[in-house]
Amino acid sequence: MPWISPKGVSVAAALALGAGPAGDLAGELTGGATSASEAQAAAKRARGPGVRALQRKLGIPADGVYGPQTKRAVKRYQRRRGLTPDGIAGPQTRRSLGLGSGPVLKSKARTRHRRAGGRPRRHSRRGGGVRALQRKLGLPADGVFGPQTERAVKRYQRRRGLTPDGVVGPATRRSLGMSGGRMLKRRGRGGSRTRGGSWSIIRRVIAAGNRIAYKPYKFGGGHGSYNDSGYDCSGSVSYALHGAGLLRNPMPSSGFMSYGRPGPGRHITIYANSGHMYMVVNGRRFDTSALRVTGSRWTSQSRSTSGYVVRHPPGL
């Protein structure tokens, strides 16, 4: 799931695509654009249908953008398969994933926008960028990214299947039809747990889930000990919650029917009945049943919630 620049090599090295790790390494590290046409080609490799197909194979949200989350997922896959973990989907990685032949897929090199004096720009909360956003959302364009704007952004993101975090990053800007620009978000409030402690907890849940995402299903796994060779549905969720300090001891699925608070959470929602359970973290499902489809417990595909008790960790 989760969501935390490769160096170019010569054209001659790019042609040395032999049938071995060294050859594929050369192929996967190419891409330092030296002309406008090469730059356009590099941009195409960083987004589009090919990237969506890659993301589906990796079991992450298929937004078609080869961003940091996709790069991290590729690296994890490469490490598990004994490939060079460079985060680039070149010939060898494509073959291993069953994607067939095609272009090298990788993230586009980023340039940092700086102010005079070399200091990086801060995230914009006021001004023309915010006004343009507010017009797109049908709000009064006062240029201030306040609570009303944040709520409107979250509503829009939910409708479009984006992560409803209230932050207008590249994916949300593209969906709104806004040109490239700075990230837009609301200034964190001093007493708001969501902008501080909550995000830290959510990151730890995701990180713990990532550690066992590809472990095999094992009935009763994760209940005798958190360190196990495989995990069942409740053992998997127990492990992820324990990693963030939200659970002391593993629980069966029936135990989660009374866990925490009733109803869906803002960031983490648990669905449990006496025979099965799973959880959704910021729009992504963590479920052992996804192993049969993606090979990972993480998936962006939803499933029926009928027959499940809905709970969430307090405050999340």
Side-chain angles (χ1 to χ4, degrees):
M1 162 176 165
W3 306 321
I4 291 226
S5 119
K7 299 180 180 179
V9 297
S10 68
V11 174
L15 297 176
L17 293 174
D24 272 335
L25 174 60
E28 299 198 12
L29 287 179
T30 56
T34 57
S35 67
S37 61
E38 288 176 335
Q40 291 173 354
K44 289 180 180 178
R45 291 193 296 269
R47 66 183 65 223
V51 178
R52 289 191 186 93
L54 168 67
Q55 290 167 327
R56 293 188 187 102
K57 290 286 188 180
L58 295 169
I60 62 176
D63 60 2
V65 179
Y66 205 118
Q69 180 186 3
T70 302
K71 185 176 181 180
R72 289 194 296 270
V74 169
K75 285 184 175 181
R76 287 194 300 271
Y77 177 87
Q78 290 169 327
R79 290 190 188 99
R80 289 194 300 272
R81 296 300 187 279
L83 304 172
T84 302
D86 54 12
I88 299 172
Q92 189 176 10
T93 300
R94 290 183 67 99
R95 284 195 297 272
S96 179
L97 282 164
L99 286 171
S101 60
V104 172
L105 302 173
K106 66 176 186 175
S107 59
K108 185 169 65 173
R110 294 183 175 180
T111 56
R112 297 191 69 181
H113 301 285
R114 294 181 176 273
R115 293 176 175 175
R119 292 169 57 188
R121 290 179 180 176
R122 296 187 178 187
H123 299 316
S124 176
R125 301 180 183 93
R126 303 179 67 92
V130 176
R131 290 190 182 94
L133 166 68
Q134 290 167 328
R135 293 187 188 103
K136 290 284 187 180
L137 296 170
L139 301 174
D142 61 1
V144 179
F145 201 122
Q148 181 184 10
T149 301
E150 184 182 53
R151 288 193 296 270
V153 169
K154 288 182 177 180
R155 285 195 299 270
Y156 177 88
Q157 290 170 325
R158 290 189 187 97
R159 290 196 299 268
R160 295 300 188 277
L162 303 169
T163 302
D165 56 6
V167 178
V168 183
T172 301
R173 292 185 73 98
R174 281 191 299 273
S175 180
L176 282 162
M178 298 175 66
S179 59
R182 290 171 290 175
M183 180 186 294
L184 305 174
K185 69 174 185 176
R186 181 185 175 195
R187 184 186 297 274
R189 301 170 74 177
S192 173
R193 189 181 171 196
T194 300
R195 289 287 177 252
S198 286
W199 287 121
S200 176
I201 293 171
I202 293 163
R203 283 194 295 267
R204 293 201 299 273
V205 169
I206 293 170
N210 288 342
R211 288 196 291 272
I212 64 167
Y214 294 87
K215 291 278 190 180
Y217 177 88
K218 176 182 175 182
F219 182 76
H223 289 277
S225 169
Y226 275 121
N227 297 316
D228 210 334
S229 58
Y231 298 82
D232 64 12
C233 59
S234 56
S236 300
V237 175
S238 292
Y239 184 97
L241 295 176
H242 174 72
L246 297 174
L247 190 68
R248 178 174 296 181
N249 299 311
M251 293 198 306
S253 58
S254 59
F256 279 99
M257 295 172 68
S258 58
Y259 170 82
R261 300 286 176 82
R266 295 181 62 187
H267 302 284
I268 300 175
T269 302
I270 293 167
Y271 299 87
N273 60 34
S274 60
H276 186 63
M277 70 164 302
Y278 62 93
M279 71 175 173
V280 175
V281 182
N282 280 352
R284 294 188 67 206
R285 179 162 56 98
F286 187 69
D287 188 350
T288 52
S289 69
L291 283 167
R292 297 191 297 269
V293 180
T294 65
S296 167
R297 285 170 168 80
W298 289 111
T299 178
S300 57
Q301 297 178 348
S302 60
R303 61 174 291 168
S304 172
T305 60
S306 177
Y308 289 88
V309 174
V310 183
R311 310 287 296 186
H312 69 274
L316 297 173

